[in-house]
Amino acid sequence: MKERTQRVLNRFLSVNTFLTCEDLSKEFNISERTFRNELTLINQYLAENNYPSITSVRGKGLKLELSEVDRDKLLSKVDDDRESDYYRPNERFLALLLDISDTTKTTLLFEMEEKLQVSKSTLDEDMRKLRQFLNKYGISVVSLTKQGIVLKGNERTIRSMLYDVINSMTDIDYLMGYRDIDAVNTFADQLVLDYLDASVLRIIGEHYDNVMEKSKVEINHVYRNQSILFLGIWVRRLQEGNTLSELAKVKAEIREGPVRNFVDSICMEFGLYPTINELNYTTFTIESFNPKDMNNSFDWVTAQLLAIQLIEHVEKVTGIPFSQRDEDLYEGLYKHITGLLSRAKNDLHVFNPLKDTIKESYVEIYQAVTCFKKQIEDYIKKPLSDDEIGFLTVYFSTSASQIKQKEQHVYQAVVLCNHGISTGKLLAANLKEQFNIEIVAVLSSYEIAFIDKLDVDLVFTTISIDYHRKPVLLLNPILRESDKKEIKDFLHKNKDRRRTISNKLDATKLMQDILKLIVESGGKVTQESYQKVEETFKEHHLKINTREIQPMLQDILRDSNILLKQECNDWKEAITKTAQLLVTEEVIEERYINAMIKSVEEYGAYIVVGKHLALAHARPEDGVNKLGVSVMTLKEPVNFGNPDNDPVKIVFCLAAVDSYSHLNVMKNLIELINDEEKLDQLITAQDLSTFKQVLYGSKVME
């Protein structure tokens, strides 16, 4: 049975409801005519094995009527019916690549002909395709007298290539043991498990979970799998004696923390003694898989600027009021972009197994994010992959679904998803929006035991699970039309379990509007009056997201922290002079200035965030006592080393205590970056009054 025919049959075996020809042809990306040919082949197979055919019911669709026992038997038979000695072209490619990558043995082409059971001409063509593929990585295939066929290229590039190939050609859930290893039904999966060793991947996964849980780090399933796969390749290459060149320096030093502890535990487990350069490379790479908080990244301000600008852009293109969900959306985007920037600097590609489905299901948002990619590419200096665009789209899609949700929900359920936290949240949001289902929690497969502790009526899962205490429905992570029909049928069967739940109103916007009215009516919002309004809202049980009630630039930029037309010899003096104002007022410590200068020396002029505008900053732990901002215009511009935005004519210094309290300040600065006329007027302002009027005014002065 052909692979696609097998997948179509498995789709019918996985559901007990009607499926339509139109839906399935879209799902498998084939024409309806091709799908009907597949259906003919499936029915022939079913008849040969004494099973009933797939039937068509007018107005409903197609269905395979089988008992649960027969379904399980047929699934096992379908998996076993493939000839074990037959390799498809893509599997021959993988078998060749992994055999050549294994430096503990000699690869000879005549032996590979016998192993793969192909002719010399077929293998020659396979080798030609392999060489062509490796060429884009700068890797060549050479034949040596004693070593046979070997890969020649940079070790770091070889590891990245293996990582990309395995990600794209295998089911990573199989590799990581989330599904029964004995049930692996593709040669590609088995080839990789033989190369990396399933027990090694399992041990790495156990160490990962142990270290991260002890450190109270939220585990994202997708990033977890990517980290384990990367470490599996790293361990294998080191054990074979393939190490990084000491000349290939890594752009980050080892930092103490959960990831470093994880890498150390792997080294101890497998008896590895890597160099400092290897430890730097591996620690930094694993860190880049995980969305971070600002304290772990030097470019946290860049991530914040991009997150805010991306939200504004997608809102403008789609017309969806994402600012209403600013808190959750911003947090997810900010953390993901921080990891994205780290991955780009380390030339690491993260694989998104659902990118094609996301692109198809959320066309408008995906296109809007794609239109913004140039701004991100300007920072990372390389193309933004479709995988990353897919991840960013999920955050917006989740937010869009939450915006449309009703306040009343009649079911309580849990979502079980192994495709990542953000994908699980998206599935939860869609269930909530479209089917009046209140999702109590989003869990991974290793958290099944928690279901019994939750007050839920139903379980929705993207993976097969052995759980019988509550009704369970298996779904695709991104809902298709066929899934929606199954959900309706599932809810109807379990309608006796529904209940009524009432959500509390989020009154944040109401509070903001009231405070604005006070000011517009000639009043003044003091700290005391604000606290009284907040207490009144709480007394009436109105929910407020305090992160969204934040100071504006004019609330924290004091007159004493503004310097105009100053002379500076270089960028270091410009940073120092601007920051010294905050040192005087004990907003920051002296060491904060040194940290800002060191960051620019180490990572370049990334703080020049707009034309002629620099935003000097370091991490909060480098000496910030409280939130503060200072600004200085320069009499003569200074070069910071940013070819796109030099020379710098105005310097802001930001002292932030966390990831959120300064968001409105960042939004004010983005307005400046996008308004060249206003920025020019600030730079040319000769007195404090004019400078403030331009900076805080609603319109540019004539």
Side-chain angles (χ1 to χ4, degrees):
M1 183 184 294
K2 293 187 301 181
E3 184 178 12
R4 185 173 64 201
T5 310
Q6 180 180 330
R7 288 191 291 116
V8 174
L9 176 54
N10 283 341
R11 186 74 177 97
F12 279 101
L13 291 171
S14 67
V15 302
N16 196 27
T17 54
F18 287 95
L19 303 171
T20 68
C21 180
E22 181 184 4
D23 291 340
L24 289 171
S25 61
K26 288 181 181 178
E27 185 172 330
F28 289 96
N29 196 27
I30 56 178
S31 68
E32 290 192 29
R33 180 179 178 180
T34 301
F35 173 76
R36 293 189 187 282
N37 291 336
E38 296 287 1
L39 197 61
T40 300
L41 293 173
I42 290 171
N43 279 333
Q44 289 175 355
Y45 177 85
L46 292 170
E48 290 169 2
N49 290 278
N50 300 315
Y51 287 102
S53 298
I54 295 172
T55 57
S56 176
V57 177
R58 184 180 295 276
K60 290 187 176 181
L62 304 164
K63 189 175 183 181
L64 179 56
E65 293 281 3
L66 288 176
S67 67
E68 289 301 319
V69 173
D70 283 342
R71 282 179 188 275
D72 291 339
K73 286 181 179 179
L74 186 52
L75 274 170
S76 298
K77 179 170 180 54
V78 169
D79 289 341
D80 292 339
D81 274 351
R82 183 179 162 189
E83 293 294 329
S84 61
D85 59 353
Y86 172 71
Y87 286 86
R88 299 188 180 102
N90 65 321
E91 293 167 342
R92 294 200 306 269
F93 168 90
L94 184 60
L96 266 173
L97 176 62
L98 296 181
D99 203 278
I100 296 171
S101 300
D102 185 352
T103 56
T104 64
K105 63 182 182 181
T106 303
T107 300
L108 301 174
L109 290 184
F110 74 88
E111 291 180 349
M112 291 303 296
E113 289 175 26
E114 183 178 349
K115 180 178 179 179
L116 299 176
Q117 297 190 13
V118 294
S119 65
K120 181 179 184 303
S121 60
T122 299
L123 190 62
D124 287 343
E125 177 62 15
D126 287 341
M127 286 297 296
R128 186 190 68 79
K129 292 179 179 178
L130 178 61
R131 288 189 174 95
Q132 186 178 25
F133 171 81
L134 293 174
N135 186 55
K136 70 179 183 180
Y137 288 93
I139 301 170
S140 58
V141 180
V142 298
S143 179
L144 303 177
T145 304
K146 294 183 179 180
Q147 295 171 267
I149 307 298
V150 298
L151 299 180
K152 194 169 185 62
N154 179 277
E155 173 60 22
R156 185 166 167 176
T157 304
I158 291 174
R159 295 178 193 178
S160 296
M161 178 273 297
L162 288 170
Y163 170 84
D164 289 346
V165 169
I166 293 172
N167 250 320
S168 62
M169 294 186 66
T170 62
D171 184 335
I172 200 166
D173 275 343
Y174 278 122
L175 302 185
M176 299 306 148
Y178 277 111
R179 301 177 194 175
D180 186 0
I181 293 296
D182 294 333
V184 172
N185 63 355
T186 69
F187 283 5
D189 292 329
Q190 195 58 56
L191 285 168
V192 172
L193 286 175
D194 291 342
Y195 176 71
L196 294 181
D197 191 334
S199 63
V200 170
L201 296 178
R202 177 181 54 77
I203 291 170
I204 294 173
E206 290 172 354
H207 279 274
Y208 184 97
D209 295 338
N210 184 43
V211 172
M212 296 303 168
E213 286 173 7
K214 281 184 178 179
S215 304
K216 297 182 179 179
V217 175
E218 183 179 13
I219 297 177
N220 181 303
H221 176 79
V222 171
Y223 294 130
R224 174 190 184 275
N225 284 353
Q226 307 274 305
S227 299
I228 294 170
L229 175 58
F230 175 84
L231 260 296
I233 295 169
W234 184 66
V235 168
R236 173 72 194 241
R237 297 294 292 179
L238 282 186
Q239 288 175 334
E240 293 177 2
N242 301 299
T243 60
L244 293 182
S245 165
E246 286 300 308
L247 297 176
K249 297 300 181 184
V250 181
K251 303 172 186 177
E253 297 300 319
I254 297 177
R255 298 175 63 85
E256 295 297 328
V259 174
R260 173 63 194 280
N261 294 338
F262 169 49
V263 174
D264 285 346
S265 71
I266 297 301
C267 292
M268 292 181 63
E269 177 71 40
F270 296 103
L272 302 175
Y273 300 94
T275 64
I276 294 297
N277 198 39
E278 282 280 5
L279 286 174
N280 278 340
Y281 160 73
T282 304
T283 302
F284 184 66
T285 300
I286 299 302
E287 281 184 340
S288 71
F289 280 123
N290 295 288
K292 301 180 183 66
D293 188 57
M294 54 187 281
N295 294 343
N296 298 320
S297 175
F298 75 90
D299 47 8
W300 55 276
V301 164
T302 299
Q304 291 179 346
L305 287 169
L306 288 172
I308 295 169
Q309 289 172 307
L310 180 57
I311 291 172
E312 292 177 348
H313 168 80
V314 177
E315 181 173 80
K316 182 178 179 181
V317 172
T318 63
I320 301 172
F322 287 110
S323 55
Q324 293 181 8
R325 302 283 311 173
D326 200 37
E327 179 187 10
D328 292 339
L329 177 59
Y330 167 79
E331 181 175 358
L333 286 174
Y334 156 63
K335 288 185 176 181
H336 184 86
I337 292 173
T338 304
L340 187 160
L341 295 173
S342 296
R343 288 190 287 275
K345 290 183 181 298
N346 209 33
D347 298 319
L348 184 70
H349 176 74
V350 64
F351 185 75
N352 185 344
L354 300 174
K355 64 184 175 189
D356 292 333
T357 307
I358 293 168
K359 184 176 181 178
E360 178 186 333
S361 302
Y362 303 100
V363 177
E364 184 182 22
I365 294 175
Y366 185 91
Q367 290 178 344
V369 175
T370 302
C371 290
F372 186 80
K373 74 174 186 175
K374 186 181 183 302
Q375 286 90 318
I376 298 177
E377 290 173 344
D378 287 342
Y379 280 100
I380 63 178
K381 306 301 181 187
K382 59 192 65 175
L384 183 68
S385 70
D386 289 346
D387 298 270
E388 295 286 10
I389 293 174
F391 279 124
L392 294 172
T393 299
V394 166
Y395 291 105
F396 283 100
S397 302
T398 304
S399 182
S401 293
Q402 291 170 338
I403 288 171
K404 297 176 185 177
Q405 287 165 11
K406 300 176 181 178
E407 292 181 23
Q408 298 293 322
H409 306 280
V410 295
Y411 290 94
Q412 283 199 177
V414 64
V415 165
L416 206 65
C417 182
N418 267 0
H419 292 279
I421 297 299
S422 56
T423 305
K425 287 182 178 179
L426 175 58
L427 175 57
N430 282 328
L431 290 169
K432 196 171 183 180
E433 172 195 348
Q434 299 179 46
F435 299 100
N436 292 333
I437 301 169
E438 175 69 21
I439 303 301
V440 174
V442 178
L443 306 176
S444 295
S445 61
Y446 51 84
E447 297 176 308
I448 291 178
F450 285 109
I451 297 176
D452 293 335
K453 300 178 182 180
L454 300 174
D455 180 23
V456 296
D457 312 311
L458 309 171
V459 178
F460 295 93
T461 176
T462 64
I463 54 173
S464 296
I465 60 172
D466 185 19
Y467 184 84
H468 306 286
R469 286 183 285 279
K470 297 181 190 298
V472 176
L473 181 62
L474 179 66
L475 299 170
N476 285 300
I478 303 295
L479 290 182
R480 300 179 181 276
E481 288 304 316
S482 56
D483 291 304
K484 294 175 184 177
K485 293 173 184 176
E486 292 177 50
I487 294 169
K488 288 179 182 177
D489 183 64
F490 179 69
L491 295 179
H492 180 71
K493 289 179 180 177
N494 294 284
K495 60 184 179 181
D496 58 318
R497 291 176 174 267
R498 59 187 175 186
R499 61 176 92 180
T500 302
I501 298 175
S502 179
N503 282 348
K504 291 182 179 180
L505 174 68
D506 184 345
T508 307
K509 184 67 169 59
L510 175 61
M511 182 173 178
Q512 290 173 327
D513 289 343
I514 290 175
L515 294 173
K516 184 178 179 181
L517 284 172
I518 293 173
V519 174
E520 290 177 351
S521 301
K524 185 177 181 181
V525 178
T526 63
Q527 183 174 358
E528 183 180 359
S529 63
Y530 167 80
Q531 289 176 346
K532 287 182 178 179
V533 173
E534 185 178 24
E535 288 170 4
T536 301
F537 271 59
K538 289 180 179 178
E539 286 173 4
H540 289 273
H541 307 290
L542 295 174
K543 179 184 174 184
I544 303 170
N545 290 326
T546 54
R547 284 179 178 175
E548 295 187 14
I549 309 294
Q550 300 160 346
M552 302 294 288
L553 180 60
Q554 58 263 43
D555 298 324
I556 58 173
L557 179 58
R558 300 183 181 184
D559 291 356
S560 57
N561 290 338
I562 302 174
L563 289 177
L564 304 178
K565 297 297 179 182
Q566 299 295 303
E567 293 185 356
C568 295
N569 294 319
D570 55 27
W571 64 268
K572 291 183 181 179
E573 186 178 352
I575 290 177
T576 302
K577 205 164 187 176
T578 309
Q580 197 62 49
L581 300 169
L582 300 179
V583 173
T584 301
E585 296 187 354
E586 298 183 349
V587 173
I588 60 174
E589 300 170 17
E590 193 75 40
R591 62 191 178 96
Y592 190 76
I593 299 177
N594 297 329
M596 289 190 289
I597 292 173
K598 184 179 178 182
S599 289
V600 175
E601 290 175 337
E602 186 172 355
Y603 300 109
Y606 65 93
I607 66 169
V608 184
V609 296
K611 202 71 175 175
H612 308 312
L613 187 151
L615 178 58
H617 61 274
R619 289 189 292 264
E621 69 268 22
D622 289 325
V624 177
N625 297 323
K626 58 184 177 180
L627 177 63
V629 174
S630 59
V631 60
M632 178 180 72
T633 61
L634 294 161
K635 188 174 182 180
E636 296 294 334
V638 171
N639 285 323
F640 274 61
N642 186 312
D644 297 325
N645 293 321
D646 271 344
V648 170
K649 300 178 181 179
I650 184 168
V651 181
F652 284 85
C653 179
L654 172 66
V657 293
D658 54 39
S659 303
Y660 302 96
S661 59
H662 59 288
L663 277 190
N664 282 333
V665 174
M666 300 294 285
K667 290 177 182 178
N668 293 149
L669 293 178
I670 288 172
E671 291 173 7
L672 276 182
I673 294 170
N674 296 329
D675 192 338
E676 290 187 19
E677 186 178 357
K678 185 173 183 178
L679 189 61
D680 286 341
Q681 291 193 6
L682 286 177
I683 292 167
T684 57
Q686 300 294 322
D687 58 77
L688 183 61
S689 176
T690 302
F691 183 90
K692 289 170 59 180
Q693 189 173 357
V694 173
L695 183 60
Y696 305 142
S698 59
K699 295 182 180 180
V700 178
M701 292 179 61
E702 299 296 336

